[in-house]
Amino acid sequence: MSTPSGPIAAVIERLRSALPHSQVLTDPAQLASYDCDGLLVHRVRPAVVALTDDAEQVRAAVQACADLDVPFVARGSGTGLSGGALPHADGVLIVMSGFREIKEISAADHRAVVDPGVINLSVTQASSPEGYYFAPDPSSQQICSIGGNVAENSGGAHCLKYGFTSNHVLAAEVVMPDGSAVRLGQRAPDAPGYDLLGAFVGSEGTLGVTTEVTVKLLRSAESVQTFLAGFESTDAAGAATSAIIAAGIVPAAIEMMDALAIEAAEAAVACNYPARAGAVLVVELDGPTVEVEAESLAAQQMCRDAGAFEIRLAADAEERAAIWRGRKSAFAAVGRISPDYIVQDGVIPRTKLSEVLHRMGELAAEKGVRVANVFHAGDGNLHPLVLFDGGVPGESERAEEVSGAILDLCLEHGGSITGEHGVGFDKAKHMPKMFTEVDLDTMQRVRCAFDPHGLSNPGKIYPTPRLCGEVPRKRSANDPNPYEGKAEIF
Amino acid sequence: MSTPSGPIAAVIERLRSALPHSQVLTDPAQLASYDCDGLLVHRVRPAVVALTDDAEQVRAAVQACADLDVPFVARGSGTGLSGGALPHADGVLIVMSGFREIKEISAADHRAVVDPGVINLSVTQASSPEGYYFAPDPSSQQICSIGGNVAENSGGAHCLKYGFTSNHVLAAEVVMPDGSAVRLGQRAPDAPGYDLLGAFVGSEGTLGVTTEVTVKLLRSAESVQTFLAGFESTDAAGAATSAIIAAGIVPAAIEMMDALAIEAAEAAVACNYPARAGAVLVVELDGPTVEVEAESLAAQQMCRDAGAFEIRLAADAEERAAIWRGRKSAFAAVGRISPDYIVQDGVIPRTKLSEVLHRMGELAAEKGVRVANVFHAGDGNLHPLVLFDGGVPGESERAEEVSGAILDLCLEHGGSITGEHGVGFDKAKHMPKMFTEVDLDTMQRVRCAFDPHGLSNPGKIYPTPRLCGEVPRKRSANDPNPYEGKAEIF
């Protein structure tokens, strides 16, 4: 590696004057451990890593980049699955994981104020003594950061009932790509002016970097019931899911696993799911005890009516954890039955579940790869795991093909190329399948409004960066205040 | 009135070629009936009114304005309370109230697709046979339009539990201020790319005009219970509200009225609320029967514990309607006890309710005007009615002063200048009290991205329009695709 020169050398100098020297990494061996996020398949070594632990350091890093026209990428815990935190080879990676103080837990008005590096689960741990919790629960919640959740608009098993991160973030302090600090949103509901917080949440780092997040806390449910239902097929499990939702019951979660996913979980954590099940559902209901008990009974009956041959209701927290263990281990467990795999993330209307799963099975058979399915059945968010052996020539290419074809399948059925993992670097190429030129241009206009120089996480979400100047900006000759002297008070 | 000339004459010609002649109004007498919205105090006669009844007509009208650099204002039913649909004297008023077909009610996936002029209540009426309803319920719901709800991000008595319009809109077709058509959002949850729909909802017509709205339908609750509780003071009613929320109960609505508001409602509709009450609460709970019954009993007990001297539980739909009659008539009813009044709209943290009401009482006494309070107590959204007699010299000015001071009071207590009526023309001057220069600049950047010529509802929301060119737009020399040849697939 050559010694940095030009703008990067100048940025490094600026970073060293703003941060302790030990927090500015340029040693290639150190940089190597930041070359990817949880997606692993794409790797780029950044030019420099800045380990920040407060807002001032983040602001200084962004300001240095803005002044010297150097791109930057913010990274939380690096657990993202779409390459959203993939570094820029000629840029700064701003690592926020050390920037993690919980500033305020205010039970009375259901609010918490946290640094972006705070771990998702820590918010719940800090508020549970007062009877509250933070609802978004991505499966990485023990390690992922709130800042990353905001960037990716993270979901989780319980977003069927409670919504995504955007439903739980009330305000954010943001460093804009030009270095200025701005506050988006407010503690009270429905702030006047444009809801730019809504646009910022899920913008995957392309509109700036958050330095403080105000989130909503929910009251812990009085009661929780979780049951596992074994079915002969995914069709039967899908029919049970539809029946539950159609009855107006909104479970906290309805998760489905197919036979191959069950086999993997069994191999990894011996979860002891019903033998020979073609599919299982994990159904969780929460709320007031009287409601939970009535709805749980009704949902169990619907499962039986749809053909469930075994139902296990967790009698206590330990049994509940045992049921969840199989589901939560599923992604990692696939490693026990396949040397390599791709985690896909797509959405379909719930009503198309059966049809899409069948087509997916046909696709996999055609290409000679196996697909395990683990997904949020309640909201049609699929997570197919495409298994392959990278050591067998041609297999990784076939797996990639199947993985891409699954997204096309989602789109054909009126769905989406991502449910909760984001577009990042990985899926930018698929965006034109979902959006028209005008739709993408409209997003680009907003990108240019926030980041005219294209410095903030460039190359993510959008496939073909355009010159910001292409958007016409002629100013009309209108009166700056069209009401002056014309409006009357009666 | 002189014959139109210049760009307006050209726009009128374009409108007449795109719309039936009877739908292009230029007669001053006809124009006069469109000179204000529900706020009434500000009046501006538009240069021309275009009565549209389909998307193509709206698009043609906007395109004509864009081509000829003429401002336009879209108007639904004209029930807004912040002057958001106040016309532009040199512009086109695009009236959407005739553009009102319900295109699709899809119970299976809880969706409806409607034209923007569709009346709010019509969506519920169309979906109720299948057991569904549209949740946002502004008090004007029998007449206000979905397009107006989207523009203002309307709330209602039940948004405590169900959220604002933005929580119930999934997608919108939008004509951008340059005439291009764009689709924001999607039917499935969590669309990739920026959530521009979130920014569009509540942008009060400044980012374009919607021509189709896809909304979420909710399953009608199995059970509803409504009770009225009489208290000696607003303090006691406020304490009951806090106790209910703190217990984790989320009623569909908790509405408070103070003595003066009760007096007005009594005079207008003889609602027979508890005699001598210093305040009443209307509490409504909905959901599964078992939950509603248990929570209603608990909430009634909390009211008693806080000092309620009378509680009336509605035994049937008729009694429920009788309880709501007083609350729903309150705004109009104030006309029975005062020749004139200002409806204010502000938000405070629920925990500050008592303090703010006392300060408000002092303010009113100092200025010698009366203030009646009707509000969504559950989420701290106040609707003070400042009563005055426009015939008494100086009274309207004193009322205006009190009305403005109430907003300052909200801000001092960490609240907001509007809860659900929007900023519109009326409150634009207050925006700098809530937002820093940088915050406002950031919103302005987005405004310029959508509407660089400042044609779409100019003069609303933002106090000081700036030249869009003032935002720097230098393009960096970065590689357009920073990953080309650098990212590897492992």
Side-chain angles (χ1 to χ4, degrees), chain A residues 41 43 69 88 153 178 183 186 190 194 206 291 419 434 439 445 449 453 460 465 476 480 482-483 488 490, chain B residues 41 43 69 88 153 178 183 186 190 194 206 291 419 434 439 445 449 453 460 465 476 480 482-483 488 490:
Chain A
V41 294
R43 291 173 186 267
D69 220 17
H88 190 291
N153 190 20
D178 65 1
R183 187 168 175 80
Q186 64 178 19
D190 193 28
Y194 301 146
T206 63
E291 173 190 354
M434 248 193 103
D439 292 343
R445 292 192 207 196
H453 303 211
K460 310 299 167 65
S476 81
Y483 298 102
E488 301 162 44
F490 285 91
Chain B
V41 293
R43 291 174 187 264
D69 220 16
H88 190 292
N153 190 20
D178 66 1
R183 185 167 177 81
Q186 64 179 19
D190 192 28
Y194 301 146
T206 63
E291 174 190 353
M434 246 193 106
D439 293 342
R445 293 192 205 196
H453 304 211
K460 311 299 167 66
S476 81
Y483 297 102
E488 300 162 45
F490 286 90

Side-chain angles (χ1 to χ4, degrees), chain B residues 52-56 58-59 96 99-104 111-118 123 145-148 150-151 168-176 181-187 197 200-201 208-216:
Chain B
T52 60
D53 42 40
D54 63 33
E56 193 38 51
V58 173
R59 214 200 51 71
M96 323 273 285
F99 179 9
R100 55 205 274 179
E101 190 195 330
I102 295 178
K103 292 174 161 176
E104 181 191 337
R111 304 285 184 264
V113 180
V114 304
D115 285 343
V118 165
V123 183
S145 70
I146 296 292
V150 167
H168 300 274
V169 173
L170 294 154
E173 300 281 351
V174 172
V175 179
M176 301 273 290
V182 63
R183 185 167 177 81
L184 306 179
Q186 64 179 19
R187 283 172 86 106
L197 180 66
F200 183 79
V201 175
V209 184
T210 183
T211 54
E212 183 188 287
V213 186
T214 302
V215 302
K216 198 192 294 181

Side-chain angles (χ1 to χ4, degrees), chain A residues 106-191:
Chain A
S106 175
D109 64 351
H110 305 190
R111 303 285 185 264
V113 181
V114 303
D115 285 343
V118 166
I119 300 300
N120 173 299
L121 194 59
S122 304
V123 184
T124 289
Q125 285 165 343
S127 46
S128 62
E130 310 214 44
Y132 290 84
Y133 76 109
F134 178 59
D137 61 340
S139 51
S140 55
Q141 72 176 138
Q142 299 191 339
I143 171 169
C144 67
S145 70
I146 297 292
N149 295 168
V150 168
E152 298 296 330
N153 190 20
S154 304
H158 294 79
C159 63
L160 170 62
K161 181 168 181 178
Y162 294 106
F164 291 81
T165 299
S166 64
N167 300 110
H168 300 274
V169 172
L170 294 154
E173 300 282 352
V174 172
V175 180
M176 300 274 289
D178 65 1
S180 57
V182 62
R183 187 168 175 80
L184 306 179
Q186 64 178 19
R187 282 173 85 108
D190 193 28

Side-chain angles (χ1 to χ4, degrees), chain A residues 385-442:
Chain A
L385 296 145
V386 184
L387 315 189
F388 67 99
D389 181 347
V392 177
E395 250 195 38
S396 74
E397 291 76 8
R398 289 206 302 278
E400 274 291 338
E401 271 176 63
V402 169
S403 179
I406 288 172
L407 290 187
D408 292 338
L409 207 52
C410 291
L411 291 174
E412 278 163 33
H413 289 83
S416 167
I417 58 169
T418 170
E420 53 186 14
H421 296 174
V423 179
F425 174 69
D426 195 48
K427 291 188 171 176
K429 60 181 179 292
H430 298 296
M431 288 288 277
K433 298 179 185 172
M434 248 193 103
F435 295 101
T436 66
E437 191 91 347
V438 178
D439 292 343
L440 290 172
D441 278 354
T442 306

Side-chain angles (χ1 to χ4, degrees), chain A residues 37-333:
Chain A
D37 61 12
L39 183 60
L40 305 177
V41 294
H42 306 292
R43 291 173 186 267
V44 173
R45 202 172 287 183
V48 51
V49 168
L51 305 174
T52 60
D53 43 40
D54 64 32
E56 192 38 53
Q57 292 180 356
V58 173
R59 214 201 51 71
V62 172
Q63 190 69 61
C65 291
D67 292 346
L68 292 152
D69 220 17
V70 165
F72 58 88
V73 177
R75 172 190 164 112
S77 301
T79 54
L81 291 171
S82 60
L86 186 69
H88 190 291
D90 302 318
V92 180
L93 186 73
I94 303 175
V95 175
M96 323 273 284
S97 52
F99 180 8
R100 54 203 279 178
E101 190 195 331
I102 294 178
K103 293 174 159 174
E104 180 191 338
I105 298 282
S106 175
D109 64 351
H110 305 190
R111 303 285 185 264
V113 181
V114 303
D115 285 343
V118 166
I119 300 300
N120 173 299
L121 194 59
S122 304
V123 184
T124 289
Q125 285 165 343
S127 46
S128 62
E130 310 214 44
Y132 290 84
Y133 76 109
F134 178 59
D137 61 340
S139 51
S140 55
Q141 72 176 138
Q142 299 191 339
I143 171 169
C144 67
S145 70
I146 297 292
N149 295 168
V150 168
E152 298 296 330
N153 190 20
S154 304
H158 294 79
C159 63
L160 170 62
K161 181 168 181 178
Y162 294 106
F164 291 81
T165 299
S166 64
N167 300 110
H168 300 274
V169 172
L170 294 154
E173 300 282 352
V174 172
V175 180
M176 300 274 289
D178 65 1
S180 57
V182 62
R183 187 168 175 80
L184 306 179
Q186 64 178 19
R187 282 173 85 108
D190 193 28
Y194 301 146
D195 176 19
L196 300 185
L197 180 66
F200 183 79
V201 176
S203 64
E204 307 196 19
T206 63
L207 300 180
V209 183
T210 182
T211 54
E212 184 188 284
V213 186
T214 302
V215 302
K216 199 192 293 182
L217 299 174
L218 297 189
R219 185 87 182 173
S220 306
E222 186 190 353
S223 192
V224 182
Q225 281 204 9
T226 309
F227 67 83
L228 180 75
F231 296 85
E232 288 186 1
S233 66
T234 52
D235 278 1
T241 303
S242 293
I244 292 168
I245 301 282
I249 297 174
V250 184
I254 308 186
E255 301 286 299
M256 199 194 296
M257 291 167 69
D258 69 5
L260 193 53
I262 296 168
E263 181 193 329
E266 206 63 61
V269 298
C271 53
N272 191 31
Y273 279 5
R276 297 179 319 279
V280 294
L281 285 185
V282 176
V283 180
E284 187 158 283
L285 297 131
D286 67 4
T289 307
V290 285
E291 173 190 354
V292 167
E293 284 174 355
E295 292 196 335
S296 174
L297 282 175
Q300 289 173 47
Q301 188 56 50
M302 287 167 201
C303 286
R304 269 187 219 101
D305 292 347
F309 59 81
E310 185 176 342
I311 289 182
R312 289 186 207 155
L313 179 67
D316 53 31
E318 201 174 317
E319 289 188 21
R320 175 176 312 121
I323 290 178
W324 276 107
R325 197 172 305 126
R327 165 62 186 87
K328 292 200 171 172
S329 70
F331 285 13

